[in-house]
Amino acid sequence: MNMNYIKGKLKKIIYQNNDNGYVVALFRVKETNDLKLSELVNKTITVTGIFNEVYLDVYLILYGTYEKNNRFGMQYSILRYERPMPTTKDSIIEFLSSSFISGCGIRTAKKIVDFFGEDALEKIKEDKNNLLQIDGMNESKANKIYVSLINYNKSSDTIIKLQNFGFSTEECSRIYNHFKDNIEGILGDNFYDIAEIVEFHKVDNIYVRNFSDKTMVRIKACLLQTLLILSFQNGDTYSYKEEISELINKEFNIVLGEDILDEVLNILIEEDKIIIIDRRIYLKKYYDAEEDIAKNLRNIDSYKIDTFENLDVLLKDLEKDLKIDYNLDQEKAITTALNNNITIISGGPGTGKTTIINAITKLYIKEKRLGPADIMNTIALLAPTGRASKKMALSTSLPAYTIHRYLKWYKEGNTFFFNEFNKTNHKLIIVDEVSMIDIELFDALLKGISPNIKLILVGDINQLPSVGPGLILEDLINSDYFNYVPLNQIYRQSDNSYIPYLAKEIKNRDLSEEFLSKKDDYNFIQTKKENIKEVLEQIIKYSLSKGINEEKMQILAPMYKGENGIDNLNVILQSIYNPSSVSKNELVYGDVIYRENDKVLQLVNDLEKNVFNGDIGFIKKINDKEIIIDFEDSKVFYSKKDLKQIKHAYAITIHKSQGSEFEHVIMPIVNNYYKMLYNKLIYTGVSRAKKTLTIIGDAGSFVRAVNNNYSQNRKTTLKDKILEVYNKENIS
């Protein structure tokens, strides 16, 4: 039985709940098949219902009922909606450049519509070779566009079904394209596989709404998700029953008695999803990762060591060439790295880690007599973030890569081209900022590299640990099986410089009275939390008068929310650094205004765009269809739906600053941030500053933060796995 509908366009959003997708909006009715509603044609009415993605000024077909709300009057209550095939030139361009159609960006879509007009879709379906008339088109691209369009028509029933469940049009496209022939199974017992594409809580809410909240399918999926949440909340690679019971109740309102919990855990063991050892409950991928890391490190360590003769002489020659005097720690780090298979080097700011990396590469190149082409194939410099890899490249004048780029990461399936079956062939690999690397990425790196190498791991053990689970640097050092060289001596930049010494005092939780004294590179401005924004504004305006703009200045704060949170600070900083102007185009996304010349931060790795989590760029152009952002001379194109990948970067979190250095840093420290004020966080922020550091706030909060040694005691067993592997070999 056909349902009655109204067709038209959403004109204005009155209310939108981003958590559940509920929308109240104004809708301009253009037609209807319901005679009772014919009087609404060409009128604007209020509509209510679930829109997981809102389309303004795009034709929609709404199915529902027109009824009176006691409080708000007549409203059209939506049961479901469809987005019909486009018929106008603009809507066809939008459709062809959407994720439904492969191989067709916005430029190609415009060319197609300019050539065929409103008949574009029919011309493509009629004969894919019609596309070859378009300038720049080739057979491969034409075939992708044609097949996508045909499949879209075939898949309309599935798309409608997914929409009826409550998924957005964009999500329906991604779900269908990902699962294709397996889609029917996905819509049954494998429904939670959709969480590979759509955020888990949304999938769960839709499942409960359409099926039940008590099925074993749901309980298993939510328990696995609970384990994942625990791992990321705490950085752990395993959890205990008590933690699982508490969190699954809190997150998903599932109460599990011990008998039911044991039953579910046993099922997940049989399905090879989890492993339980001595009460420790692991997601299998984390258990396997720890085992594989231990075995692969042992494989590297077991190869015959390629030692360098007369290294002391070579080092002295290098000192003369570079006019450098290496201290004893630095000499030990360089010689240990070149004469062993695995070496760990850790030190704070100003201890010379960059200098050591430079020396290692130069001596290796000289000893092996490597030409330019040989260097590319022999030495790999890696880091977990784009900015950290760029810093390595600048300091060594050699190519450097993010680990994801080096291993050739495929975002769609979260896999790597280089893996245990297809390894890289470099002989010297130096990895910087190792404290930032989580268990999965380190596992992938060791699987993707040859075991016949020199592996040098560089980092700062006192920095914040990785966002993901694991405690790689500490576990490797604490296993006591690898050559470890700590760097302690600090190089003073001037007689009145203080930043590296402050970092050391913070690390040792032993602040001197100097932290309130003004230095060449440091200043602590005491102010109340109510005055933070005002003082920050004064400092920024003064800095601008001295030629220090937003490219040279970075504000670091512990958290996004709150009166002095990053979101609020960015609004103020944008108004100072990049005020509104008729000469600058703007775009509103949610409650954020982006405008041309804005400083922005990339939040996720995107290998296709060649931008990575933590990269900072500037918006160069905004038009109706796209935003162009310049990341250090690399221009990247974003559509409006891609804007969830970026945030303003005038102020960023200390977590996001890891792996980066900034000429000038301002850090507000007040008790608004009390939840995030602890030693490792403050240390990490302070150690980001190269030339100057200004702290604004109250001294009491700063002192409490320095003395708060809270950092989650992460539950990991990598150290134990390393000991097992090495001890087993020693016993045998």
Side-chain angles (χ1 to χ4, degrees), residues 315-569:
L315 195 55
K316 292 300 178 188
D317 290 341
L318 184 64
E319 284 182 316
K320 290 177 185 175
D321 292 342
L322 300 179
K323 297 180 174 58
I324 289 177
D325 289 321
Y326 298 116
N327 66 39
L328 293 177
D329 286 346
Q330 291 173 323
E331 285 183 7
K332 183 180 179 183
I334 295 164
T335 56
T336 302
L338 289 169
N339 278 333
N340 289 279
N341 291 349
I342 300 176
T343 303
I344 302 169
I345 302 167
S346 176
T351 55
K353 296 190 297 293
T354 301
T355 302
I356 290 166
I357 292 171
N358 205 15
I360 291 168
T361 55
K362 281 181 163 45
L363 288 170
Y364 191 90
I365 290 167
K366 185 174 183 180
E367 176 70 9
K368 299 295 183 182
R369 296 186 175 88
L370 301 179
D374 298 322
I375 292 170
M376 291 283 291
N377 295 322
T378 307
I379 298 174
L381 304 181
L382 311 177
T385 68
R387 292 180 72 84
S389 66
K390 286 168 188 170
K391 186 176 74 173
M392 290 180 84
L394 285 172
S395 65
T396 60
S397 300
L398 297 173
Y401 311 91
T402 65
I403 298 171
H404 282 84
R405 187 163 187 78
Y406 176 70
L407 297 176
K408 296 188 177 178
W409 178 54
Y410 297 126
K411 181 180 179 180
E412 190 64 32
N414 194 25
T415 58
F416 295 92
F417 176 78
F418 291 112
N419 51 50
E420 60 265 49
F421 309 110
N422 179 37
K423 295 179 180 290
T424 63
N425 56 8
H426 292 92
K427 297 299 181 186
L428 175 69
I429 295 180
I430 303 177
V431 189
D432 199 6
E433 299 289 354
V434 176
S435 65
M436 296 179 65
I437 302 175
D438 65 31
I439 194 84
E440 288 189 276
L441 186 56
F442 196 60
D443 180 36
L445 175 62
L446 294 183
K447 283 175 177 170
I449 61 179
S450 165
N452 185 18
I453 59 164
K454 289 187 183 298
L455 177 64
I456 299 153
L457 305 173
V458 183
D460 185 347
I461 197 171
N462 296 293
Q463 275 193 43
L464 290 167
S466 59
V467 173
L471 203 58
I472 297 298
L473 191 58
E474 279 194 44
D475 282 346
L476 264 57
I477 291 170
N478 292 336
S479 74
D480 208 25
Y481 267 108
F482 307 106
N483 299 288
Y484 169 49
V485 184
L487 306 174
N488 297 306
Q489 185 173 330
I490 295 171
Y491 283 84
R492 186 183 289 273
Q493 295 177 342
S494 75
D495 288 340
N496 199 32
S497 67
Y498 184 53
I499 294 172
Y501 294 94
L502 175 61
K504 189 172 183 178
E505 289 175 9
I506 293 169
K507 177 185 75 173
N508 295 331
R509 284 180 290 154
D510 186 21
L511 278 178
S512 68
E513 294 179 2
E514 294 292 298
F515 87 92
L516 288 175
S517 302
K518 194 174 187 306
K519 307 288 183 182
D520 288 347
D521 60 351
Y522 171 78
N523 194 13
F524 194 120
I525 299 174
Q526 296 194 69
T527 188
K528 295 179 180 179
K529 61 185 178 184
E530 295 83 5
N531 301 326
I532 285 291
K533 292 192 285 291
E534 181 185 342
V535 172
L536 180 61
E537 188 172 342
Q538 291 171 0
I539 296 171
I540 295 299
K541 288 179 177 178
Y542 176 77
S543 299
L544 284 170
S545 72
K546 297 296 182 181
I548 300 172
N549 62 14
E550 64 269 39
E551 291 189 42
K552 299 173 183 177
M553 175 69 75
Q554 187 59 58
I555 291 81
L556 302 179
M559 56 202 295
Y560 284 108
K561 302 303 178 184
E563 181 63 24
N564 291 312
I566 286 164
D567 290 339
N568 275 345
L569 295 182

Side-chain angles (χ1 to χ4, degrees), residues 20 44-45 66 73 157-158 162 165 167 220-221 325 327 334 405 423-424 433 460 480 499 544 619 646 650:
N20 61 19
T44 300
I45 65 171
Y66 194 54
D157 288 345
T158 303
L162 287 165
F165 277 137
F167 292 106
K220 287 193 304 180
D325 289 321
N327 66 39
I334 295 164
R405 187 163 187 78
K423 295 179 180 290
T424 63
E433 299 289 354
D460 185 347
D480 208 25
I499 294 172
L544 284 170
I619 296 176
I646 66 169
Y650 301 108

Side-chain angles (χ1 to χ4, degrees), residues 685-696:
V686 166
S687 59
R688 300 307 91 201
K690 284 174 66 178
K691 290 186 177 178
T692 70
L693 169 68
T694 303
I695 297 176
I696 56 176

